[in-house]
Amino acid sequence: MTQTALRAAAIAGTGSFLPERIVTNDDLAAELATRGIETSDTWITERTGIRQRHLAERGVATSDLATEAARRALADAGVQADELDLIIVATSTPDFVFPSTACLVQAKLGNKGAAAFDVQAVCSGFVYAMSTADAFVRAGRARCALVIGAEVFSRILDWNDRGTCVLFGDGAGAVVLKAADAPGILAAELHADGSQMNILCAAGNVAYGEVTGDPFLRMDGQAVFKQAVNVLEKSARQVCADAGLTLADVDWLVPHQANVRILNMLARKLDVSLDKVVVTLDRHANTSAASVPLALDAARRDGRIKSGHVVLMQGVGGGFTWGSVLARMS
Ligand SMILES: CC(C)(COP(=O)(O)OP(=O)(O)OC[C@H]1O[C@@H](n2cnc3c(N)ncnc32)[C@H](O)[C@@H]1OP(=O)(O)O)[C@@H](O)C(=O)NCCC(=O)NCCS
């Protein structure tokens, strides 16, 4: 990477990719029933707003989904893979212990030489990655960055735990950030509280040639719910203040897609109309680090998010982590 003058970062393109296989709540309820586990479309829809999720077939890895989303974002931005000088993948379900999923994506895209690394902040991963890429661009250490959120969360779910397995899906979303004269990224703020690691974790690892600990996602749903609403509200107010804007200036809220009741409560606390909240969790479920870029791309492509709009992206999840990125769309 070469050192250049300070500058701003702007969103030049977005893309996303979902595995083909759709599993509805009814499909899932029928599958779980074969193992004596009871759930229903009514319970899942009423408690979460989720109606279906996309699940990757065995053998399809995070880097596969990430690469497809990246290709679409590059095409949208009119950028060639060899123009990239920074690739960041936010994921908690990497293909390997190492190399990073970002390096695998780089190879699949045919880029050589860009810096490439993963960011691990679970469902806050995409806002962590965007904030990192923005800092690289503003510091003059990158000119053209690819930021991806990609997950195959289906691989770390305990499919015998109805309290978690109904909540998640697989997918990927990507953004191309380019150096620009005027800021696209207006402000960003990130936080973590590691003392709350136990409310949402997958506390397993690979060591001595075997899996150690518990490789499945575990969650205290009610604790996560309460924390999520609180921290997202505070973070939304802070990032707007940092940018010298108010919530009234925000055209679209693109929050992490976990539970529609969290989004409704957040909108009420922030006094933001529900019409301004992008919701994709009904179709995608919770895709962790992929949820925000998937929602951003969906709302851009269906024409809701337009050039000049101010978009507030928010992540929250395991760690416990949370954060926001405020952007004006190019
Ligand atoms: C997980 C969540 C949907 C559970 O909803 P809830 O209203 O808190 O429900 P509870 O956990 O109190 O469970 C209520 C009952 O439903 C049952 N239940 C849990 N999952 C169920 C399912 N899939 N189908 C049917 N019943 C279910 C529970 O066993 C419990 O039964 P009981 O009363 O007989 O003990 C909710 O807490 C939530 O969404 N939390 C946030 C999770 C999240 O967003 N995580 C990711 C953040 S990044």
Side-chain angles (χ1 to χ4, degrees):
M1 285 177 285
T2 40
Q3 200 84 14
T4 54
L6 279 172
R7 62 186 73 232
I11 293 176
T14 64
S16 60
F17 183 74
L18 290 155
E20 213 173 294
R21 184 174 159 226
I22 293 174
V23 177
T24 65
N25 290 345
D26 282 332
D27 296 335
L28 189 52
E31 215 276 306
L32 292 180
T34 63
R35 282 179 277 123
I37 300 165
E38 200 186 318
T39 190
S40 64
D41 175 50
T42 308
W43 192 96
I44 302 168
T45 308
E46 283 178 1
R47 300 284 179 126
T48 71
I50 295 164
R51 296 183 179 278
Q52 63 175 44
R53 71 282 298 138
H54 291 247
L55 297 182
E57 299 295 343
R58 264 175 194 274
V60 174
T62 293
S63 68
D64 297 317
L65 306 182
T67 302
E68 283 310 315
R71 286 198 177 111
R72 292 172 189 196
L74 289 169
D76 186 44
V79 165
Q80 301 298 317
D82 61 10
E83 294 174 56
L84 296 168
D85 52 12
L86 175 64
I87 300 171
I88 306 180
V89 175
T91 187
S92 300
T93 48
D95 292 23
F96 304 131
V97 173
F98 69 81
S100 69
T101 304
C103 285
L104 305 178
V105 171
Q106 178 186 35
K108 287 179 185 182
L109 290 176
N111 172 284
K112 275 198 179 126
F117 59 89
D118 289 358
V119 160
Q120 214 276 42
V122 201
C123 304
S124 310
F126 182 73
V127 296
Y128 265 68
M130 280 287 276
S131 176
T132 305
D134 173 53
F136 268 74
V137 173
R138 280 191 297 108
R141 294 205 169 140
R143 298 179 57 84
C144 191
L146 176 63
V147 185
I148 306 171
E151 305 276 14
V152 285
F153 249 55
S154 57
R155 308 281 157 79
I156 56 165
L157 298 176
D158 177 354
W159 288 98
N160 292 313
D161 174 12
R162 67 179 181 173
T164 55
C165 75
V166 302
L167 303 176
F168 296 91
D170 303 331
V175 164
V176 176
L177 266 191
K178 281 181 83 170
D181 294 330
I185 307 302
L186 304 172
E189 63 129 46
L190 307 174
H191 300 280
D193 177 2
S195 72
Q196 299 194 66
M197 61 166 283
N198 287 329
I199 65 173
L200 181 53
C201 59
N205 204 340
V206 179
Y208 310 112
E210 56 186 43
V211 173
T212 61
D214 181 352
F216 293 125
L217 178 150
R218 304 292 175 200
M219 180 179 71
D220 176 345
Q222 290 183 3
V224 170
F225 193 108
K226 280 186 208 137
Q227 276 297 325
V229 176
N230 284 339
V231 299
L232 289 175
E233 182 197 358
K234 274 195 203 123
S235 181
R237 295 191 188 285
Q238 187 59 53
V239 79
C240 286
D242 290 350
L245 298 179
T246 70
L247 282 157
D249 298 314
V250 173
D251 295 294
W252 294 102
L253 181 55
V254 184
H256 173 50
Q257 307 285 314
N259 185 317
V260 78
R261 291 188 292 136
I262 293 177
L263 304 193
N264 290 346
M265 227 178 254
L266 177 66
R268 199 160 55 238
K269 279 178 172 252
L270 294 174
D271 199 21
V272 166
S273 159
L274 278 176
D275 301 343
K276 290 181 162 191
V277 182
V278 177
V279 179
T280 51
L281 62 85
D282 53 332
R283 289 170 285 147
H284 304 166
N286 181 348
T287 56
S288 192
S291 91
V292 171
L294 267 164
L296 178 72
D297 188 51
R300 269 193 77 231
R301 285 178 194 258
D302 69 20
R304 276 180 291 169
I305 296 181
K306 294 184 168 56
S307 174
H309 280 174
V310 173
V311 177
L312 173 52
M313 292 169 262
Q314 294 201 280
V316 61
F320 204 68
T321 55
W322 65 98
S324 302
V325 171
L326 192 65
R328 190 184 301 282
M329 300 304 292
S330 305

